[in-house]
Amino acid sequence: AQKVTQAQTEISVVEKEDVTLDCVYETRDTTYYLFWYKQPPSGELVFLIRRNSFDEQNEISGRYSWNFQKSTSSFNFTITASQVVDSAVYFCALSEATGYGGSQGNLIFGKGTKLSVKP
Amino acid sequence: ETGVTQTPRHLVMGMTNKKSLKCEQHLGHNAMYWYKQSAKKPLELMFVYNFKEQTENNSVPSRFSPECPNSSHLFLHLHTLQPEDSALYLCASSQETGTSVQPQHFGDGTRLSIL
């Protein structure tokens, strides 16, 4: 069965600190996709990144970086030099690629990690 | 126009009322989704529509009734709801290609409160 675990419920840091949000997933599929979304207080989920199971290269986008390790089934997210605007709930999600018209694309979300960045 | 628009943003209704949530996407996507977000629970997928056809119904109670008249619009009709149905209801859309899973784009949600 698919499952996404975000063990950290809440994290509080002071501005300019680096912070890592953990994500561990379970799936039996060999082909799958992992996502991170940000949910600010306004409610909308903002897409941050998609990674497929065949691409283990780590990615950096500005202050954001992601570390994908299939050996430990983890897809961790690091924010460098955090800012107050980074305060939000962050969700990790998993989707299996089971074929067109099936459950492909259906996202399984973790419970989210609430990040508070204080000035 | 923002990518995915949901109305209303907030809704308070009694258990015997009938109301509808509306979602509209301006991204040219072919798949749309309804999710429920309750406090202390992960986001739960409720319904999926691909090319206007419902392909997934995650054991959602019949008091929730989806409608997808075209690939840009999605409704969630509500009737005889229970207090535990109070939640944030999120709509999303994506462009399903059949060869890879694309990111879903979400609306701001409708905050529903059942009295």
Side-chain angles (χ1 to χ4, degrees):
Chain A
Q2 295 174 291
K3 188 178 177 182
V4 175
T5 302
Q6 294 180 255
Q8 304 148 309
T9 307
E10 292 193 42
I11 299 176
S12 183
V13 299
V14 177
E15 213 169 16
K16 297 185 183 175
E17 282 186 28
D18 299 347
V19 58
T20 295
L21 310 181
D22 298 332
C23 174
V24 174
Y25 62 92
E26 294 176 30
T27 178
R28 292 182 198 171
D29 273 22
T30 55
T31 304
Y32 52 89
Y33 293 79
L34 296 163
F35 299 82
W36 274 95
Y37 283 86
K38 172 183 179 181
Q39 187 177 37
S42 58
E44 177 188 3
L45 268 79
V46 178
F47 165 71
L48 297 178
I49 189 171
R50 178 191 68 163
R51 172 68 71 227
N52 75 51
S53 51
F54 298 112
D55 181 3
E56 285 193 75
Q57 274 197 326
N58 292 327
E59 182 158 337
I60 297 175
S61 175
R63 296 183 298 106
Y64 294 171
S65 62
W66 291 269
N67 183 359
F68 176 30
Q69 298 215 350
K70 285 178 77 169
S71 60
T72 55
S73 296
S74 65
F75 187 43
N76 296 338
F77 173 31
T78 298
I79 302 175
T80 304
S82 59
Q83 300 176 1
V84 173
V85 293
D86 295 327
S87 297
V89 181
Y90 289 85
F91 292 93
C92 181
L94 165 71
S95 179
E96 294 173 344
T98 56
Y100 192 81
S103 61
Q104 175 193 32
N106 293 356
L107 290 172
I108 304 298
F109 283 88
K111 291 187 177 182
T113 297
K114 182 177 181 181
L115 174 65
S116 298
V117 181
K118 303 192 185 310
Chain B
E1 288 279 8
T2 55
V4 180
T5 305
Q6 289 186 245
T7 55
R9 289 297 310 276
H10 301 273
L11 179 61
V12 179
M13 56 188 285
M15 289 193 284
T16 57
N17 291 155
K18 289 185 181 181
K19 295 285 184 184
S20 296
L21 309 185
K22 179 183 175 182
C23 177
E24 184 174 0
Q25 59 98 358
H26 308 275
L27 301 168
H29 289 164
N30 58 15
M32 295 186 77
Y33 311 79
W34 279 117
Y35 288 87
K36 177 183 178 183
Q37 186 176 29
S38 310
K40 301 178 184 177
K41 271 189 162 186
L43 273 148
E44 301 171 80
L45 177 65
M46 299 175 73
F47 299 104
V48 180
Y49 278 82
N50 290 324
F51 292 103
K52 303 185 297 177
E53 298 296 320
Q54 185 176 309
T55 60
E56 190 86 9
N57 173 347
N58 273 358
S59 304
V60 179
S62 59
R63 57 185 183 270
F64 294 92
S65 173
E67 178 190 1
C68 188
N70 55 60
S71 57
S72 299
H73 293 85
L74 185 64
F75 295 89
L76 187 62
H77 303 300
L78 318 170
H79 66 96
T80 325
L81 294 193
Q82 304 298 310
E84 62 265 27
D85 297 324
S86 297
L88 179 68
Y89 288 84
L90 289 158
C91 174
S93 70
S94 68
Q95 182 61 26
E96 188 173 322
T97 64
T99 57
S100 65
V101 176
Q102 299 301 315
Q104 293 179 20
H105 297 262
F106 286 80
D108 289 341
T110 294
R111 175 72 60 189
L112 176 64
S113 299
I114 306 300
L115 300 178

